[in-house]
Amino acid sequence: MFQPRGKTLNIWISAATILVGVHLRFTDDQGVMGGIIDSTSFVKQFNNPSALQQGHITGLYDIGCLVGSLLTLVIGEKLGRRKSIYIGCVFVIIGTILQATARVIPHLMVGRVVTGMGVGVMTSIVPTWQSEVSGADNRGVYLTIQSANINTGFLLSNWITLGASYATSQFQWIFPICVQLIFASYLLVSVPFLVESPRWVANHKSIEEATRIIACLQDRDENDPEVLRVRDEISAALEEEGQSSWSDLFKNGGQQNFRRMLLGFGVLYMQQLTGINSIAYYLPIVLVEYLPVKENMAHIIAAVAATQYAVFSFVPVLFIEKIGRRTIMLWGAVAMMILSALIAVGFNVPGQGGAIMTVVMYCLFYDAFGMSYLNVPWMYAPEINSLQMRSKGGAVASASNWLFNGIVVTVTPSSLAAIGWKYYVVWAVFNASFIPMIYFLYPETKGLSLEQIDHIFEGKGHGRSCFTQGVQESVKGVAAIEASRADHRRSDIENARYDDSDSTNEKEAPTSVGVEHANSD
């Protein structure tokens, strides 16, 4: 079998992960389904579905994604990265066929759930796979490109549904759904030519096979010093982690797996509670119902906003490895806090001026999100989890995304109806709350190999340091991390000696008392 190497192999892997990003937004509520659910042929075929039925048709996709993420939590580590992607593709193909052949709503709903399960599996495992095959100097760039193409899928779905809308037959809604088969089929065909994660192979097969994969990724000889350095880092990480079990994911011992899982869960919780999907899902509706904007103009504004949003999503490629994850998230939270507040202000400015101000703030909010919380959360979870817990931690993080995404899109219509402009004050408060969370709890990972990131979390930690250990050192770089690591090791040794001393004293005390009693007798 033909096996690409080096830069060609990395491009192929990146192309596969990009397709997952495009497919993610193409299939979701903002993508194809949002564009066809009110089309003439769709409404006729499904007997004019009510608003509640429409909500179930779109929302069940998120349920499927959540189930797929939890499925990966159970089987992902055992199967490996590539086999998990195969399973995700199969689910997507079956789900797409079920949707395209549906003639009644329950049939369509089943198809949505099955498709969502496939996407949930892929969003759980693909960022992990990409992070494990990428080098420390370009990992952020590759993962940024993958995340940015989520918006490419959004744009593509809008254009395809717009073109299909001019048809009068069932082609109007069946064709956009069937386009999903292209993405899944490409992944099924291309992934066999790509390599498994060398870190997964080292953990589940052999370090020798992992070395061959590292050499292939770097297009070097297996005995090359750089290949051997990466091999030795992986081997040392596995030795330090030792054997692991499911319960270790919820322990905060020497590897701080529980802390790492919470960081991955939390960063995708923050992504959804920036308020992005309260805008992206409902922008045309909000412009028509709450601002003096006509329906045609509202759709044009939404399309223009989505286009410039997609463009700005690629901008972090220029600085993700220079500025770092923490700084990007900090300034992103500050920007979205301010912009959410200004959107609320725009709602209270009467006339056309208020509408213009609000639209501009919506567009700037898109841009701020696209350059910060669109990409960093998806890369952060696989970066900070330990080797043996990486797929599990990634699955928990993905589940967090789909859980809070579902909550936001569910509560937004009723919240806007109940409190209007004050709803955006809520998002301003959420974004403000992220600033101290990121500053005190989230380590920096730029420029660090996955094994160097492990060193941030080594040591049991005591009290507050259980959740803040290594954060400030990580900002200063590898040298500060290693110095802190040595301090923690010395502290652990001293604590162990102290514990041994106490244990010895406790054993001696009863003996001396017994001697005294014996003498008195």
Side-chain angles (χ1 to χ4, degrees), residues 18 26 44 52 68 71 92 95 243-244 267 276 285 297 317 340 374 390 449 461 468 520:
I18 283 170
F26 194 91
K44 182 179 179 181
L52 180 61
L71 179 65
V92 167
Q243 295 298 316
S244 64
V267 76
I276 182 61
I285 296 172
M297 180 57 68
V317 170
S340 295
L374 173 66
R390 190 164 290 131
S449 70
T468 60
S520 63

Side-chain angles (χ1 to χ4, degrees), residues 279-289 293-295 298-299 302:
I279 297 173
Y281 276 63
Y282 299 106
L283 182 56
I285 296 172
V286 171
L287 294 178
V288 172
E289 293 186 3
V293 178
K294 294 182 179 179
E295 186 172 352
H299 284 286

Side-chain angles (χ1 to χ4, degrees), residues 195-381:
V195 294
E196 180 57 271
S197 158
R199 290 166 170 88
W200 183 86
V201 169
N203 187 24
H204 293 274
K205 294 185 178 181
S206 69
I207 194 67
E208 290 77 18
E209 186 175 345
T211 305
R212 289 193 290 272
I213 295 174
I214 295 166
C216 188
L217 285 165
Q218 297 188 5
D219 197 14
R220 299 172 188 260
D221 185 78
E222 289 181 28
N223 295 317
D224 185 272
E226 181 61 22
V227 172
L228 296 178
R229 182 190 66 79
V230 176
R231 180 204 67 182
D232 291 343
E233 282 188 349
I234 295 172
S235 181
L238 284 171
E239 185 176 347
E240 290 176 2
E241 289 183 28
Q243 295 298 316
S244 64
S245 63
W246 260 94
S247 61
D248 291 333
L249 185 63
F250 303 95
K251 293 180 180 178
N252 215 27
Q255 296 297 323
Q256 297 192 340
N257 289 318
F258 184 62
R259 176 191 173 194
R260 299 192 201 196
M261 181 191 70
L262 288 180
L263 289 173
F265 182 93
V267 76
L268 278 160
Y269 149 85
M270 287 189 278
Q271 183 195 64
Q272 291 303 313
L273 292 188
T274 58
I276 182 61
N277 283 324
S278 70
I279 297 173
Y281 276 63
Y282 299 106
L283 182 56
I285 296 172
V286 171
L287 294 178
V288 172
E289 293 186 3
Y290 296 91
L291 296 169
V293 178
K294 294 182 179 179
E295 186 172 352
N296 288 342
M297 180 57 68
H299 284 286
I300 293 172
I301 290 171
V304 171
T307 302
Q308 56 97 44
Y309 177 26
V311 171
F312 275 88
S313 299
F314 288 92
V315 173
V317 170
L318 303 175
F319 55 73
I320 185 68
E321 292 297 353
K322 296 177 182 178
I323 296 178
R325 287 42 158 176
R326 272 169 50 92
T327 303
I328 290 172
M329 288 196 292
L330 283 169
W331 284 107
V334 170
M336 288 184 286
M337 173 188 68
I338 295 170
L339 291 167
S340 295
L342 291 175
I343 290 172
V345 172
F347 270 69
N348 288 282
V349 175
Q352 189 176 9
I356 292 172
M357 176 183 174
T358 305
V359 167
V360 171
M361 294 305 111
Y362 276 139
C363 290
L364 292 176
F365 189 98
Y366 270 150
D367 301 339
F369 179 86
M371 292 190 292
S372 57
Y373 281 80
L374 173 66
N375 59 332
V376 173
W378 284 113
M379 72 176 69
Y380 199 84

Side-chain angles (χ1 to χ4, degrees), residues 505-521:
N505 291 335
E506 288 173 3
K507 290 178 181 179
E508 291 175 351
T511 304
S512 61
V513 171
V515 171
E516 290 175 5
H517 280 290
N519 292 336
S520 63
D521 290 338

